[in-house]
Amino acid sequence: MPDADWNDPPQADIAIAGDKIAGIGLDYRIDDARSIEVVDARDHLVLPGFVNAHYHSHDVLAKGTLEEVPLEIWRLYALPPQYPPRSAEEVYARTLLGALECLRSGMTTIQDMLTLYPYEERHMDAVMRAYDEVGIRVVFALQYADRKGIETIPFWKDTFPPELHPLLSTAAEPEYELDLIGHFETTRLKTARPQRVSWALGPSAPERCSPALMRRTVELARRYDIPVYTHIYESRGMALQARLSIPHYSGLLIRRLAEEGVLDERLNFAHSVWLSRAEIDLLAEHDAGVVLNPQGNLKMKCGIAPIRALQDAGLRIGLGCDNCSCSDAQNMFVAMKLFALLAAISDPVPGPPQAVAALRAATEGGAEGARLGDVLGRIAPGFKADLTLIDTRDPTFSPMNSAARQLVHIEAGRGVRHVIVDGKVMVRDRQLTTVSESTIYDAVKVVMPEFRRDFSTISQRVAKLQPWLDRAHRLIMAAELDIDRLPFGGR
Ligand SMILES: [Zn+2]
């Protein structure tokens, strides 16, 4: 209930008819008790299901594999060049597992920005089948680009000997044999949507996409009225690269997009850690939004987003948990807590309370970014019945002083008991109802030997590059960057 007191929410019955919330009230009258299912929500908090507004299912199996790896180097693990083709069984198993983790954490919608490289229809079908079977809502985008990674990272080209350059691209890059977006339009955008799936577009990052590709993306987004998700300035190196490569746009990628006419309310910029003041203002002017992923930003030594400046500018803010190989948990409680706490570093002067802001970002903010703000992210009549029930018979909520603050600062996921998507109970008593969880764990076990073998080959390849990677990283960190002088606090 958007207008309710989130610290002291009212007690009410929520009536669901089909996939929607039909009404909210005290002591709802039931005309025909035999035809309804009652989910007893006494001693529970009922939340709009979380929207994980930035997630990639392609490396679910790599959770817990890496530490102390800066972003530029991490990409070589997460999206390596010359990656051996994956089996459809692996793609299916990892998608099931990721969806299971998200649902069990109280997320009812995920934005999967998926790299399928090389693209194979059977992989795409396996992904769609897994999502359908688990029963989670998905805002789905394929990730693509048309510029080589080595061209988009400062100092790499000059630091590495030319014979190593082929090892430095990543798999989100040019798909020469297939017009991926054209294919996506023909096979998906123009056809009937699977239930609980909505489409989006995923240009990997502006510096990895030519102006022509960005233009084509936004034209498609406008034609089909779908959102666009991309990455911006996750690391200091990405901001530095912009300064070095596009001086004619004052070194600012957001200015480039604005002047190319592709910046509008459909765009969602994941990370936004190293945005400059001028770019925050441009985003606000064009009604574009951001999706913050504090967990991964810290794990990969990227820094923290200027949370207070983004809030003060009135930007739409969503929250995500990003890749499993960097975040590593798909856990919105962790994301919300970091969001609320890191606001202190982005501006050390006390500002407005952050717990409700974190909850709004995790629900309404993500829904609005997906262009689904009129049907998702709130508990209100006419909205989709996507609900998460948190058991308050737990030390986390005893005594109950503030539902919002205790959800954000104390709850870590233990309390998620039931999860409803489209009016159906997909998680009941902490167990997935749609697919047997042990079947999922077994399917993962079957594909892990091959995944581990290939991941170890990749790790060995990256290890050989380590001296040059370290040197390039030191150069990035030592280079002067104008943004350091901006008054956003300790990034
Ligand atoms: Zn990402």
Side-chain angles (χ1 to χ4, degrees):
M1 285 184 279
D3 300 325
D5 179 350
W6 292 38
N7 289 302
D8 184 18
Q11 196 172 330
D13 295 328
I14 300 171
I16 295 172
D19 61 349
K20 291 199 177 61
I21 295 169
I24 301 165
L26 273 180
D27 299 323
Y28 228 86
R29 243 192 73 232
I30 299 160
D31 292 332
D32 182 0
R34 286 163 307 176
S35 65
I36 65 158
E37 179 188 358
V38 175
V39 178
D40 188 350
R42 276 173 296 191
D43 296 316
H44 287 72
L45 289 168
V46 185
L47 306 179
F50 295 127
V51 178
N52 185 357
H54 188 64
Y55 165 72
H56 307 268
S57 66
H58 47 246
D59 64 352
V60 163
L61 302 180
K63 66 176 70 162
T65 51
L66 300 169
E67 269 189 274
E68 296 294 303
V69 181
L71 174 86
E72 281 77 13
I73 303 170
W74 164 83
R75 292 189 78 233
L76 297 174
Y77 289 97
L79 295 167
Q82 301 158 18
Y83 203 43
R86 310 324 298 163
S87 67
E89 290 71 28
E90 182 180 308
V91 172
Y92 176 65
R94 75 189 187 195
T95 313
L96 285 176
L97 181 67
L100 168 65
E101 182 181 2
C102 290
L103 262 184
R104 289 278 307 275
S105 314
M107 297 164 183
T108 50
T109 299
I110 53 178
Q111 197 282 300
D112 187 2
M113 187 179 183
L114 175 64
T115 293
L116 287 178
Y117 185 83
Y119 181 85
E120 290 186 51
E121 208 59 44
R122 65 194 181 108
H123 288 167
M124 181 75 178
D125 291 342
V127 170
M128 288 298 135
R129 183 160 64 92
Y131 282 138
D132 183 54
E133 288 173 4
V134 169
I136 199 164
R137 193 179 301 286
V138 188
V139 179
F140 183 89
L142 286 172
Q143 180 165 225
Y144 53 84
D146 64 354
R147 282 180 173 165
K148 288 250 166 226
I150 187 168
E151 312 282 348
T152 62
I153 300 176
F155 309 118
W156 273 28
K157 215 167 174 182
D158 297 331
T159 302
F160 288 87
E163 64 271 21
L164 296 179
H165 290 188
L167 299 177
L168 297 167
S169 284
T170 61
E173 283 153 27
E175 179 80 58
Y176 293 115
E177 283 164 25
L178 177 73
D179 170 16
L180 191 62
I181 319 183
H183 182 75
F184 186 65
E185 183 186 13
T186 315
T187 57
R188 308 287 160 174
L189 295 182
K190 284 186 173 168
T191 62
R193 279 188 296 123
Q195 60 173 346
R196 292 184 295 274
V197 173
S198 57
W199 304 122
L201 294 166
S204 183
E207 71 275 19
R208 295 193 279 269
C209 296
S210 65
L213 186 59
M214 286 307 296
R215 208 165 31 246
R216 193 170 168 211
T217 296
V218 171
E219 277 167 14
L220 262 190
R222 287 174 184 159
R223 192 178 316 149
Y224 291 94
D225 194 20
I226 55 176
V228 177
Y229 292 86
T230 189
H231 298 90
I232 196 94
Y233 299 144
E234 186 168 1
S235 71
R236 193 174 192 279
M238 290 163 90
L240 183 63
Q241 176 66 14
R243 303 299 187 278
L244 297 172
S245 61
I246 48 168
H248 43 298
Y249 293 112
S250 319
L252 305 176
L253 283 166
I254 300 294
R255 177 160 296 160
R256 181 196 128 190
L257 298 178
E259 291 189 16
E260 286 171 358
V262 295
L263 188 61
D264 69 17
E265 73 280 5
R266 287 173 184 76
L267 271 87
N268 294 281
F269 292 93
H271 306 301
S272 297
V273 173
W274 292 87
L275 281 174
S276 66
R277 176 78 257 170
E279 289 172 302
I280 293 172
D281 293 341
L282 272 173
L283 292 177
E285 204 178 295
H286 290 82
D287 294 323
V290 298
V291 181
L292 306 183
N293 303 268
Q295 223 180 318
N297 296 158
L298 294 174
K299 182 101 185 290
M300 288 190 296
K301 304 196 167 293
C302 288
I304 61 160
I307 298 169
R308 280 279 296 285
L310 300 171
Q311 290 177 314
D312 291 347
L315 288 183
R316 178 181 74 233
I317 300 176
L319 272 178
C321 296
D322 210 358
N323 299 69
C324 285
S325 64
C326 73
S327 258
D328 302 85
Q330 298 307 318
N331 186 318
M332 196 56 84
F333 299 99
V334 175
M336 290 194 300
K337 183 165 183 172
L338 286 174
F339 173 92
L341 296 178
L342 291 173
I345 300 177
S346 70
D347 190 334
V349 175
Q354 291 289 357
V356 170
L359 280 162
R360 283 194 190 278
T363 53
E364 294 170 4
E368 284 163 15
R371 302 187 71 65
L372 297 170
D374 54 345
V375 287
L376 289 185
R378 294 179 182 203
I379 303 176
F383 275 59
K384 289 278 188 186
D386 286 12
L387 304 168
T388 290
L389 278 68
I390 313 269
D391 190 348
T392 58
R393 287 163 302 179
D394 187 280
T396 296
F397 296 101
S398 177
M400 181 72 90
N401 292 317
S402 154
R405 285 191 280 274
Q406 283 165 256
L407 277 168
V408 170
H409 290 289
I410 310 175
E411 177 61 66
R414 185 173 61 213
V416 175
R417 184 167 175 207
H418 309 305
V419 182
I420 298 171
V421 185
D422 253 355
K424 299 186 187 76
V425 182
M426 302 298 188
V427 172
R428 189 190 302 276
D429 281 323
R430 301 178 172 86
Q431 281 290 306
L432 194 64
T433 60
T434 48
V435 179
S436 123
E437 293 190 13
S438 55
T439 308
I440 298 178
Y441 301 132
D442 289 346
V444 169
K445 217 178 269 175
V446 168
V447 299
M448 278 314 284
E450 193 176 329
F451 178 84
R452 285 213 175 90
R453 191 195 62 212
D454 292 340
F455 193 79
S456 140
T457 308
I458 290 155
S459 303
Q460 286 161 20
R461 200 187 295 152
V462 179
K464 282 192 197 130
L465 300 168
Q466 205 63 51
W468 294 280
L469 290 170
D470 290 343
R471 198 177 311 150
H473 185 65
R474 278 197 296 273
L475 288 171
I476 289 172
M477 299 315 286
E480 196 179 321
L481 183 67
D482 53 4
I483 206 169
D484 291 336
R485 293 192 293 273
L486 288 176
F488 290 156
R491 286 205 238 169

